[in-house]
Structures are given as C-alpha cells and as structure tokens.
Amino acid sequence: MASSTVRPDAEDRPPEDHLTRRLLESAATLAYDPATEVDWETPLDKDFHGASPEWSTLYGTAYWAELTEEQRKELTRQEAASVASTGIWFEMILQQMVLRDVYAKDPTSADVQWALTEIAEECRHSIMFARGAQKLGAPPYRPHRLAVELGRAFKTLAFGEAAYAAILVAEEVLDVMQRDWMRDERVVPFVRTINNIHVVEESRHMKFARAETRRHLSGAGPVRRRINALIIAIASYVIVTSMVNKGVYANAGLDGKRAVEEAKANEHHRSMMRSSCSGLMEFLASARLLTRPALVFYKRAHLI
C-alpha cells in the first residue's frame, strides 16, 4: 500500500534507520505466537530433562555422580524454570528502559516502531517463560532482595550505553545456553520450542542492542566510558549470579547446603559460562568497556 507521507531517500537515512527497518521487516516475516506454537496441553513428560545436563550447576561434581537419573532430570527442570524466572525479571527491566528511551520521540520513526515491536516480543516471552516454568512444576523463583532493589534502581537510572550493553549481556548469556537446549533431544519438547522461539526473536534484539551501544559510545568521553563500563559490569554480575536460585536444590529433593557448596566450586560450570560469553567479551573489548574495575566483576561472575 502506498504511503501519502513523504519519506527521505534511502541514501539519506541514518544507519540506525536502515537497521531498524530491517528488524521491522524481520519481525513481520519471522515471529511466533507462543500461545499457539508451544504445546501447553500435553502433560509434562518426566523422562526428559528441563535443560541440557551439561548446563546444570552440579554437572561434573561429586554430588552429580551420586544422583539418580530421575534426580538429575528434576534438577535440570528446576534450574530451567529458575533461568526462565530470571529472564522474566530482566525482561521487565528491559521493557521499561527501552520504553523510557523512546518516550516523546517521533512515533512514526522506524526506531520507535522497532522499540515498540521489541517490547511486544518481550511481553510475549515473559508470558511464555512463566507458563513454561509453571509446566515444569516449579515455584515462582525470584532473585534475592538486593538484586531486586538494584534492578529497580538500574531500570530507573540507566541510560544510553549502560542500558543497552546490560541488555546485551543478559540476552547473549541466555542465547548461547538456549541454542544448546533447543537442539538437545534429551530436553522436554515444549522447552525446546520455547528456546527456539526465544533464540530467533532475541537475535533481532541483540543486533539492536549492539548497534545502540556503539551509537551511544561514539560521543562518550573517557570518564563517561569508564563509569558506564563499571555499571555494566556490576549489572552483569547481578544478572548472571541471579540465574539459578538456591532454592532449586531443595525443590529437586537434594541437600540444599551441600549442593550450593559444590555448585559454587564447580569448575565445569564456570568453564561453560566463560565459553558462552567469549563473543560478548570480544564485543565489550572492542567497545573499550573492559576496564580494570569492570574486569573484577566479570571475573567474579566467571564470564572471563
């Protein structure tokens, strides 16, 4: 349908306008409705894992070796539900930051329309994750109180590169593990579908977050860059350490105290996290956001 509004020629549009138009076209042609795409009706088959076992926080520990196969499957289901719940928490933060960023901007612009499209996708993801966690037989896991309050402050105060780079961190870490889960036939089918939907749609969000991070940093001086590098690192630490709630172990029928101790010292899981973040760390390094103070938090979170 032809538009009566005069648009600038393609060569006159800024680079970010080209990107958001491509993202809008992608969302129009490749999008999912979790309400109909995911099999919500079939009862949970407990012969399957909730996530790839290698991603379990206990995989490779002495405690893991002692668990029965049924206990391992229940643990991965609880852990997958915890990751989903953390995803909901951060997606709510993300939605508020993006909406605040486009507040009072031209709603006819591709940038604002893409932002609203991304928020709509994140809303669907949050509902999808909530239903998925419920179907996995898990309680509503929440980050600890300090993380919740830090998130409240972050969503209110973060802007520019701090907001978009933190968004990118959360999305990149989830993306790598979910790519493994969606291909793993040991994982319960409806979770694989959820992961596939999230991976496809989040790829658009990650492209936008990278572009926005670079755009905001283009005018940043050294002091602003150092301050925001530290803020991004702290946000990353809080996000990553909140992914698996300590309550998953007791809810899986395990000795919670022992499980927490062994999970904290699990070098296999640390290695998985580091490998999943290699591309992210390369991006942050190229954006000169891996300052010495920031590296302290990335190392504590075992992201580097």
Side-chain angles (χ1 to χ4, degrees):
M1 179 177 179
S3 171
S4 60
T5 304
V6 177
R7 297 290 185 187
D9 293 334
E11 59 269 20
D12 296 330
R13 294 173 185 155
E16 58 268 23
D17 188 69
H18 287 284
L19 173 62
T20 49
R21 287 182 183 279
R22 289 199 305 272
L23 294 174
L24 283 167
E25 290 170 2
S26 173
T29 58
L30 187 59
Y32 299 93
D33 180 359
T36 57
E37 295 283 348
V38 181
D39 179 6
W40 301 114
E41 302 303 322
T42 302
L44 174 66
D45 187 341
K46 293 190 176 182
D47 286 335
F48 287 91
H49 285 274
S52 297
E54 292 79 8
W55 276 100
S56 173
T57 54
L58 288 182
Y59 185 89
T61 64
Y63 201 178
W64 178 269
E66 296 174 18
L67 300 180
T68 65
E69 194 60 24
E70 289 72 22
Q71 288 175 313
R72 292 173 180 175
K73 289 172 180 176
E74 181 59 32
L75 174 60
T76 62
R77 288 194 292 268
Q78 293 295 323
E79 289 176 320
S82 179
V83 170
S85 296
T86 302
I88 295 169
W89 167 64
F90 194 76
E91 283 180 343
M92 288 184 176
I93 294 174
L94 180 159
Q95 290 167 42
Q96 292 177 73
M97 291 193 298
V98 172
L99 192 59
R100 191 183 69 226
D101 188 46
V102 300
Y103 176 71
K105 291 184 179 179
D106 177 7
T108 67
S109 71
D111 279 1
V112 174
Q113 290 179 24
W114 163 251
L116 296 175
T117 300
E118 179 170 342
I119 291 168
E121 290 182 342
E122 295 294 7
C123 286
R124 292 197 298 272
H125 295 169
S126 293
I127 296 170
M128 175 176 72
F129 284 159
R131 293 184 69 179
Q134 185 179 33
K135 186 167 180 175
L136 285 168
Y141 291 111
R142 301 294 296 163
H144 55 77
R145 182 62 182 270
L146 177 59
V148 170
E149 295 308 319
L150 287 172
R152 195 187 306 279
F154 184 74
K155 72 179 177 59
T156 304
L157 301 173
F159 65 93
E161 64 270 20
Y164 282 102
I167 289 170
L168 183 63
V169 169
E171 291 172 340
E172 289 263 8
V173 173
L174 274 175
D175 181 72
V176 174
M177 65 174 67
Q178 288 185 325
R179 284 179 185 273
D180 283 349
W181 301 357
M182 75 183 195
R183 301 185 185 107
D184 194 338
E185 294 185 357
R186 297 169 297 175
V187 175
V188 66
F190 84 91
V191 170
R192 295 178 64 193
T193 304
I194 287 173
N195 291 326
N196 183 68
I197 291 172
H198 197 247
V199 163
V200 170
E201 297 188 341
E202 286 296 328
S203 66
R204 295 191 283 264
H205 304 181
M206 290 189 290
K207 287 178 183 176
F208 184 65
R210 284 175 182 257
E212 285 298 289
T213 299
R214 290 192 185 279
R215 183 173 71 84
H216 283 285
L217 281 171
S218 63
V223 174
R224 173 177 152 185
R225 191 181 294 267
R226 284 196 293 270
I227 291 172
N228 281 325
L230 182 58
I231 291 171
I232 294 162
I234 294 171
S236 303
Y237 174 82
V238 173
I239 293 165
V240 170
T241 57
S242 298
M243 280 190 167
V244 178
N245 189 291
K246 294 178 181 178
V248 300
Y249 306 113
N251 289 329
L254 308 186
D255 179 337
K257 183 178 180 180
R258 180 186 173 188
V260 168
E261 289 175 353
E262 295 206 23
K264 283 182 178 179
N266 188 355
E267 183 53 41
H268 171 80
H269 192 259
R270 293 177 181 180
S271 176
M272 294 288 282
M273 292 300 294
R274 284 193 296 269
S275 64
S276 74
C277 292
S278 60
L280 171 64
M281 292 301 129
E282 287 177 10
F283 172 78
L284 294 176
S286 70
R288 290 184 289 151
L289 291 172
L290 289 186
T291 60
R292 287 186 179 180
L295 283 170
V296 172
F297 287 92
Y298 291 123
K299 288 178 179 177
R300 288 186 64 184
H302 309 295
L303 300 183
I304 197 168

